[in-house]
Amino acid sequence: MIKVKTFVIKNTDNPLHHERLDAAINKFLVENDIEEVIDIKYSTAMAQTSPGLYAWKPSAMLIYKEKEKTGK
């Protein structure tokens, strides 16, 4: 079955957002029964938090295929 999982970094104090997203995705892959990674889409949104101040909101969408369950 093909599924989608979204990862969002909420605290953007660390400038290495992509490394935090990659670590979260890798942890998810290790902890779950994933047969195949179909695609990973990265995105970054920018939001104004107050006049003159902006926050980056990095995210990633993992599209994957789960291993089929055997037996009942």
Side-chain angles (χ1 to χ4, degrees), residues 25-70:
I25 291 168
N26 286 331
K27 181 179 177 188
F28 177 80
L29 294 173
V30 168
E31 293 175 351
N32 293 277
D33 208 16
I34 307 302
E35 179 177 324
E36 175 186 1
V37 172
I38 297 169
D39 201 358
I40 302 174
K41 303 284 186 188
Y42 291 91
S43 179
T44 302
M46 191 168 83
Q48 186 172 11
T49 56
S50 62
L53 295 176
Y54 295 88
W56 294 95
K57 298 293 181 187
S59 64
M61 179 177 66
L62 171 66
I63 304 167
Y64 64 96
K65 184 174 182 181
E66 219 175 27
K67 287 186 182 174
E68 293 192 25
K69 310 272 191 250
T70 56

